[in-house]
Amino acid sequence: MTKRVLIIGGYGNFGSYIAKTLAKDDLQIIIGGRSKIKCLDFIEGVDDFKHPLEYSIFDITISIPFAEITPDIVIHTSGPYQEQGYDVAKLCIEYGCHYIDLADGREFVANIHKLDEKAKSSGVSVISGASSVPCLSSAIIEKYKDEFEYLEEIEYGIATAQQTNRGLATTASILNYTGKPFKTLINGKMETVYGWQDLSFHKYPEFGYRALGNCEIPDLELFPKIYPNLKTVRFYAGTEITFLHIGLWLLSWFVRLRIFKSLRPAAKLFVNIANKFDWIGSSNSAFHMILKGKGKENENKSEKVYILAKEGDGPFIPCAPAIILARKIAFGLMEKSGAMPCVGLIDLDEYMSELKDLNIKLICE
């Protein structure tokens, strides 16, 4: 029987790509969201599918009509997750269907294990953080960790492209912690850093220098526990246009000094302002990770990994895990049940294979 996959936010930035990709498989795709007009407009534009797409109109803060939709798998793409509880995941467990989300909220992803017992009892997989972090970042670590005797430090970041669609939820997520304190592992201790601060610049192959600042992600909570030899975990992100990045860096001080409580309410304004400068930027985005530690003969060792995306294909990178996992579950290739962060579930070769038709390449130095 064809498995039914409900994609919450299926007409959004991430959800639409996931829906279009999975629609080519032997899966029944249901687009879920609050807007009937957006659902219908999106479905009308999908011309490559195995089964005609369905849709369902609902608000996740009120209820999801599981009895009418009868999903086997739910992919939750509607953030920001920092402002949500586990209501959708709990409903999936209660109904007996699998759950995948693209969450980037630190506590949200790190604490998904609290649903583990109930998920196992229901015989379903509940997977949080099926996105660039922690899925891609952990896949790179798993690929290279055995080349080290001791992997002690990871530093990595995402440099976004100016000419890509900016999701309001993603922007709100970033602004939610801009200027605010959070903990990360530095030299063996959990130290306080501040969102979008510690301004730095990293030179990417082909793209040149990009400005970066501190970002709070699930990895900062998960990796020190999963990889106990780590002494430092630093993650950064930045915008392509330097003066926009520095502008947000300056505003982060207003939050740090408690002049502003949060920049989160201005998310829509920030998106509108950023859009006005698209003509200056490009559609090139990048990811980098530097791994450092001791080699097999106690020598200093490092590995450097880049993922470069052109032609606006960067935003599709965080979509790959949900696509891969949905297929695994639907076609009986996912044996593990329970609630878990998306760490160690997809290897780097699988990840890059899913992106092979896009203008995205992996560089290892």
Side-chain angles (χ1 to χ4, degrees):
M1 182 180 294
T2 300
K3 299 296 184 181
R4 297 174 58 80
V5 181
L6 168 64
I7 303 176
I8 298 174
Y11 48 72
N13 284 342
F14 296 150
S16 60
Y17 180 78
I18 294 170
K20 288 177 180 178
T21 303
L22 290 177
K24 301 172 186 177
D25 297 324
D26 187 17
L27 299 169
Q28 178 59 62
I29 304 302
I30 306 101
I31 305 300
R34 291 180 294 182
S35 172
K36 183 176 180 179
I37 293 175
K38 290 182 179 179
C39 278
L40 292 174
D41 285 348
F42 171 72
I43 291 173
E44 187 177 345
V46 179
D47 54 12
D48 186 3
F49 50 81
K50 184 77 172 181
H51 304 281
L53 277 65
E54 300 177 10
Y55 70 92
S56 180
I57 309 304
F58 55 81
D59 185 334
I60 60 171
T61 64
I62 301 174
S63 66
I64 303 175
F66 276 108
E68 297 175 14
I69 304 171
T70 62
D72 297 293
I73 302 167
V74 171
I75 301 176
H76 183 10
T77 74
S78 185
Y81 300 91
Q82 291 91 336
E83 299 175 3
Q84 301 180 30
Y86 296 125
D87 293 348
V88 176
K90 288 178 179 178
L91 284 172
C92 288
I93 293 171
E94 182 180 338
Y95 185 79
C97 66
H98 303 279
Y99 167 92
I100 303 166
D101 69 44
L102 278 65
D104 58 359
R106 178 173 180 162
E107 300 302 325
F108 188 99
V109 178
N111 291 325
I112 195 69
H113 65 86
K114 293 180 178 180
L115 302 181
D116 188 56
E117 185 176 340
K118 290 184 178 179
K120 286 179 177 176
S121 296
S122 189
V124 299
S125 298
V126 172
I127 303 170
S128 186
S131 188
S132 302
V133 291
C135 184
L136 175 58
S137 50
S138 65
I140 294 173
I141 294 173
E142 288 295 314
K143 175 80 171 180
Y144 288 97
K145 69 175 185 178
D146 290 341
E147 297 184 14
F148 292 82
E149 187 67 25
Y150 298 102
L151 177 60
E152 298 175 329
E153 179 180 343
I154 54 172
E155 175 189 308
Y156 55 120
I158 295 175
T160 61
Q162 178 65 22
Q163 295 178 3
T164 55
N165 291 328
R166 292 169 197 85
L168 183 60
T170 301
T171 303
S173 175
I174 293 170
L175 294 178
N176 195 53
Y177 59 73
T178 297
K180 294 182 180 180
F182 57 85
K183 299 286 189 178
T184 191
L185 185 67
I186 301 176
N187 297 325
K189 295 181 180 180
M190 294 301 288
E191 302 283 1
T192 299
V193 297
Y194 292 83
W196 216 256
Q197 298 203 343
D198 291 334
L199 180 66
S200 63
F201 292 84
H202 187 85
K203 187 177 182 180
Y204 290 90
E206 302 180 29
F207 300 163
Y209 285 96
R210 297 285 182 91
L212 299 170
N214 297 323
C215 283
E216 187 174 30
I217 56 170
D219 306 28
L220 306 184
E221 189 77 20
L222 294 169
F223 288 177
K225 299 173 184 176
I226 297 171
Y227 307 107
N229 288 326
L230 283 175
K231 295 179 181 179
T232 298
V233 181
R234 299 302 304 269
F235 177 78
Y236 309 94
T239 61
E240 178 183 0
I241 298 177
T242 302
F243 72 79
L244 290 178
H245 182 99
I246 292 177
L248 185 55
W249 171 75
L250 289 170
L251 288 171
S252 74
W253 284 97
F254 284 83
V255 177
R256 180 172 178 175
L257 297 173
R258 300 184 181 180
I259 298 171
F260 297 156
K261 184 177 180 180
S262 172
L263 299 179
R264 164 70 176 83
K268 191 171 184 179
L269 175 62
F270 276 84
V271 170
N272 291 336
I273 291 173
N275 288 342
K276 296 182 184 300
F277 296 95
D278 283 357
W279 62 278
I280 300 176
S282 73
S283 57
N284 300 328
S285 56
F287 173 98
H288 81 274
M289 178 178 281
I290 303 170
L291 305 94
K292 296 180 180 180
K294 296 294 183 181
K296 300 298 183 179
E297 298 181 2
N298 203 39
E299 78 281 13
N300 291 330
K301 180 177 176 58
S302 66
E303 297 284 351
K304 190 179 292 185
V305 179
Y306 289 102
I307 298 176
L308 306 182
K310 299 180 180 180
E311 298 181 0
D313 287 347
F316 302 141
I317 294 174
C319 299
I323 295 168
I324 295 168
L325 290 169
R327 287 176 178 148
K328 286 186 174 184
I329 293 171
F331 302 128
L333 302 176
M334 180 77 177
E335 299 178 356
K336 192 174 182 180
S337 65
M340 67 206 85
C342 192
V343 175
L345 299 180
I346 298 171
D347 65 39
L348 186 58
D349 291 338
E350 284 182 287
Y351 206 117
M352 296 309 299
S353 178
E354 181 57 41
L355 303 173
K356 67 181 184 301
D357 294 330
L358 301 172
N359 196 340
I360 296 173
K361 66 179 178 180
L362 176 72
I363 300 174
C364 304
E365 298 182 350

